[in-house]
Amino acid sequence: MRKTGTTITRRGFGAILAAGLMATSLAACGNSDTGSEAGDSKGDGQIVLGFSQVGAESGWRTANTNSIKESAEKAGIKLQFDDAQQKQENQIKAIRNFIQQKVDVIAFSPVVESGWDTVLKEAKDAKIPVILTDRAVDSADKSLYKTFIGSDFVKEGRLAGEWLVEQKKAATGPVNIVELQGTTGSAPANDRKKGFAEAIAANPNLKVVASQSGDFTRAGGKQVMEQFLKANPKIDVLFAHNDDMGLGALEAITAAGKVPGKDITIITIDAVKDGMQALADGKFNFIAECSPLLGDQLMDLVKKVKAGEEVPARVETQETTFTQEQAKAALPTRKY
Ligand code: GYE
């Protein structure tokens, strides 16, 4: 695990998801669903947190939303939750609303990396601290946000690539890889692609022959994999930037008369339950984990920035990887 001076690693927040799993109905919500009034932190002493979520595109996202809702409640923080349905313009609108409502702290998971400076400057001018959750922004001015809590996506891509390099070290001919990218312009799509490409460069036989976005959804994964299969007679490996796209692709692969996990080696990222099940069943071959359980740490950071305390500039999530055997062993106690 990479460690830096300002990095806090995390583990052991599994318990919060026990309740989170029961709250799936809450996660299926639309926009601004908490019903609590912001701006009244002065009245009852409760901290008000405005949170703009990316959407509900994947199993990872659902687990992340549950974690945030559960942890806010546990921490006694009043949550204004907004679902942006994978659209940056909705997130900008939500953040402007939070500023107008004078929430105490704003946190958000930016759908894409670019284009945040103006609205972040508005929050700064209004003296409302901002915490980036899960995904990063590419703003040069780091004073626009207090901290960023989330995974090292480049590392996840690299771990996926390194596993493949090891698996295919005896290959004498070309190994054709297709890649299902996450949402175009998002930090996890950019970084996972980069880390994977860096790792597979170790073996010139490993070639990405097609790479396209499936938007992190099952439907997207299925549709793009169908196109890949039509256009490429020989596909040896699928690298999907998340489990959901890999799960969607399974349908396309089976429909094309191929056996997933055997005819086509499948590598994904996240390790949510459905992905782990596919891995244990031999349909996937390897998963690099990305933990969605960011709620408890986020609430700690919210309290600290509200109190004016110093927080580390970067809080990194600690993760692992799973083979088929490891998935079988881990599944019974998997929290998300
Ligand atoms: O991997 C994917 C989700 O930002 C880490 O977003 C997150 C990614 C996650 O849709 O499943």
Side-chain angles (χ1 to χ4, degrees):
M1 261 334 111
R2 194 183 61 144
K3 293 227 165 73
T4 67
T6 55
T7 291
I8 299 171
T9 53
R10 53 165 299 285
R11 269 242 168 255
F13 292 99
I16 54 170
L17 246 280
L21 288 173
M22 294 188 298
T24 317
S25 55
L26 280 178
C29 53
N31 291 350
S32 305
D33 66 330
T34 57
S36 55
E37 283 302 311
D40 61 355
S41 58
K42 313 289 173 294
D44 58 13
Q46 240 188 333
I47 297 174
V48 179
L49 168 66
F51 185 85
S52 167
Q53 181 60 292
V54 168
E57 74 282 3
S58 64
W60 190 99
R61 192 62 56 196
T62 303
N64 180 248
T65 292
N66 288 340
S67 169
I68 286 160
K69 289 184 174 177
E70 291 296 322
S71 297
E73 194 162 345
K74 216 167 60 183
I77 289 172
K78 209 172 258 184
L79 181 67
Q80 293 286 318
F81 183 91
D82 187 274
D83 175 341
Q85 298 171 358
Q86 295 247 64
K87 290 202 178 75
Q88 180 173 35
E89 67 206 68
N90 290 346
Q91 287 201 298
I92 292 174
K93 243 184 254 163
I95 293 168
R96 292 204 165 118
N97 271 336
F98 295 149
I99 295 171
Q100 229 170 27
Q101 292 168 26
K102 298 186 172 44
V103 301
D104 296 301
V105 180
I106 292 171
F108 77 117
S109 176
V111 59
V112 290
E113 286 192 279
S114 309
W116 298 103
D117 287 28
T118 307
V119 72
L120 288 180
K121 179 88 180 19
E122 288 166 22
K124 192 180 174 188
D125 291 346
K127 299 196 171 23
I128 301 177
V130 172
I131 298 174
L132 302 179
T133 309
D134 154 41
R135 296 183 183 180
V137 299
D138 65 3
S139 304
D141 181 358
K142 306 285 180 239
S143 78
L144 294 177
Y145 54 90
K146 294 286 178 199
T147 179
F148 164 42
I149 172 176
S151 307
D152 181 343
F153 299 135
V154 177
K155 185 166 92 189
E156 292 166 355
R158 200 183 308 126
L159 289 170
E162 283 170 358
W163 179 83
L164 187 64
V165 168
E166 178 59 25
Q167 292 302 302
K168 301 287 179 187
K169 63 179 180 216
T172 47
V175 175
N176 290 347
I177 305 165
V178 294
E179 180 179 32
L180 283 168
Q181 297 180 35
T183 300
T184 305
S186 70
N190 293 342
D191 293 354
R192 288 169 182 170
K193 185 175 191 341
K194 182 169 180 265
F196 184 77
E198 279 170 12
I200 64 165
N203 181 349
N205 279 325
L206 304 183
K207 281 204 186 70
V208 177
V209 294
S211 180
Q212 211 178 298
S213 173
D215 215 11
F216 279 132
T217 65
R218 285 192 195 200
K222 179 174 181 233
Q223 196 206 327
V224 178
M225 191 68 202
E226 279 164 3
Q227 293 167 23
F228 284 165
L229 285 158
K230 267 187 210 142
N232 301 276
K234 179 181 179 284
I235 296 175
D236 303 301
V237 179
L238 164 64
F239 170 46
H241 288 188
N242 77 345
D243 289 340
D244 281 82
M245 291 190 294
L247 291 163
L250 288 181
E251 293 180 43
I253 293 169
T254 311
K258 295 191 192 285
V259 182
K262 298 219 157 52
D263 297 336
I264 298 180
T265 300
I266 302 179
I267 307 168
T268 65
I269 293 177
D270 276 356
V272 295
K273 266 226 170 97
D274 289 353
M276 290 288 274
Q277 189 63 58
L279 185 59
D281 292 345
K283 294 174 183 163
F284 285 1
N285 301 79
F286 189 73
I287 304 182
E289 184 186 40
C290 179
S291 175
L293 307 184
L294 305 178
D296 279 2
Q297 274 189 307
L298 173 61
M299 298 313 147
D300 273 359
L301 290 167
V302 166
K303 285 182 180 168
K304 286 192 174 135
V305 298
K306 170 66 181 145
E309 286 174 36
E310 277 297 306
V311 292
R314 174 83 170 94
V315 181
E316 197 182 308
T317 318
Q318 194 173 22
E319 285 141 357
T320 185
T321 59
F322 295 97
T323 60
Q324 292 174 338
E325 287 313 309
Q326 288 165 333
K328 276 182 211 158
L331 253 177
T333 53
R334 196 76 184 150
K335 297 289 189 294
Y336 56 91

